[in-house]
Amino acid sequence: CIKEQPTSEQLVSLEAAFSLALSAHDSQRRQSGEPYILHPLGVTKILAILQVDLATLKAALLHDVVEDTPIQLEEISQQFDPEVAMLVDGVTKLSRIEYKSKEEQKLESHRKMLLAMAKDLRVVLIKLAERTFAMRELSYASPERQQRVAREVMTIYAPLAHRMGIAQLKWELEDLSFRYLAPDRYKEIAKLLSEKRSERETYIDRVAQQLREALAAQGIDGEITGRVKHIYSIY
């Protein structure tokens, strides 16, 4: 799913990034008890679906090694290239942002700071994928952390995904946050949506095609588009 067709040399480099991440995180575990490597691997899979370049995939695999392991940025730069090291450094700096007040979290300037701090928008893209995977795993966190992280994602990262035009991350971040911020309403709407998202997409496509045929039969030149609304959007 990556953007360009990789050469065998590039694939070897990608495997090397995975090997380094695997060895660096070898003794670490997630809150679920699973090996920590599943986190950077999950983030990388999200980005692969978005068809990013190989440097971004390598940086995604290595995005936590500088912050959480003895691996130094220079080692990444030497073993891979400065571009990958720059992306890893950018994600590390974004992870270290601290908020002085609750109001700061809500300010529009905060989103701008995230973009300003990133020398490359790919840094923000990795961070969005990281937050998406973290939200998928949030059920293992304490209720207090669930609320805090969900509020942060809803006020900062979901709008950021929207502004970057990444709809599939935006709706997932919103739904996952809504699940913890308003669990009763989330369950109520989810229960009413008996069909899976893929089934609803198929339904929308079928109806759109019927409308196209009806317009064509009347000699009307029209365009029909449709999309499935996600749970938070319905709310």
Side-chain angles (χ1 to χ4, degrees):
C1 293
I2 55 180
K3 192 172 184 179
E4 69 256 18
Q5 185 63 34
T7 63
S8 18
E9 184 181 349
Q10 289 173 323
L11 286 175
V12 168
S13 180
L14 190 61
E15 290 173 1
F18 172 73
S19 296
L20 179 59
L22 183 62
S23 61
H25 294 299
D26 182 53
S27 61
Q28 297 176 338
R29 292 289 181 272
R30 294 188 56 73
Q31 285 183 310
S32 62
E34 295 177 319
Y36 190 87
I37 189 62
L38 294 181
H39 173 75
L41 190 58
V43 172
T44 306
K45 286 180 178 179
I46 291 172
L47 290 168
I49 292 171
L50 296 177
Q51 297 188 334
V52 300
D53 63 347
L54 283 163
T56 306
L57 293 180
K58 286 187 279 189
L61 285 168
L62 300 167
H63 77 270
D64 274 338
V65 297
V66 174
E67 187 172 14
D68 296 339
T69 79
I71 300 292
Q72 297 295 309
L73 203 60
E74 293 75 16
E75 184 175 343
I76 295 174
S77 183
Q78 291 171 4
Q79 186 168 344
F80 300 99
D81 55 64
E83 182 183 16
V84 175
M86 178 272 293
L87 294 174
V88 172
D89 186 42
V91 176
T92 302
K93 287 176 179 176
L94 286 182
S95 300
R96 290 174 179 168
I97 293 175
E98 293 182 2
Y99 309 112
K100 295 178 181 178
S101 68
K102 290 182 180 179
E103 282 145 4
E104 245 187 40
Q105 284 185 296
K106 296 187 269 187
L107 290 175
E108 174 69 17
S109 60
H110 197 103
R111 299 189 193 102
K112 291 180 181 178
M113 182 180 67
L114 282 172
L115 289 169
M117 284 186 66
K119 295 179 181 178
D120 192 308
L121 279 178
R122 290 175 297 176
V123 171
V124 181
L125 192 57
I126 294 170
K127 187 62 181 178
L128 286 173
E130 187 275 331
R131 287 291 81 192
T132 302
F133 188 80
M135 288 300 296
R136 293 176 183 177
E137 303 283 297
L138 200 59
S139 60
Y140 296 103
S142 66
E144 293 78 16
R145 177 172 170 75
Q146 288 174 348
Q147 289 281 314
R148 179 176 61 80
V149 173
R151 279 195 298 270
E152 181 184 65
V153 166
M154 188 69 87
T155 57
I156 297 173
Y157 293 104
L160 196 56
H162 175 66
R163 293 191 173 206
M164 292 180 70
I166 313 171
Q168 61 198 91
L169 292 190
K170 171 188 176 287
W171 72 255
E172 185 173 358
L173 288 170
E174 286 180 338
D175 275 6
L176 290 171
S177 299
F178 184 51
R179 176 181 177 183
Y180 295 105
L181 295 174
D184 292 338
R185 297 307 303 275
Y186 177 90
K187 290 175 184 175
E188 178 186 0
I189 297 171
K191 188 176 179 180
L192 292 170
L193 292 174
S194 56
E195 304 111 327
K196 294 179 181 178
R197 184 177 180 87
S198 60
E199 293 171 340
R200 287 183 281 138
E201 287 173 344
T202 300
Y203 172 79
I204 292 289
D205 291 341
R206 186 170 67 250
V207 172
Q209 183 57 34
Q210 290 173 353
L211 288 171
R212 290 187 194 102
E213 292 171 0
L215 287 176
Q218 297 300 318
I220 300 173
D221 182 17
E223 180 181 352
I224 304 295
T225 60
R227 65 180 177 85
V228 174
K229 292 178 75 68
H230 56 287
I231 291 176
Y232 180 70
S233 179
I234 293 170
Y235 168 75

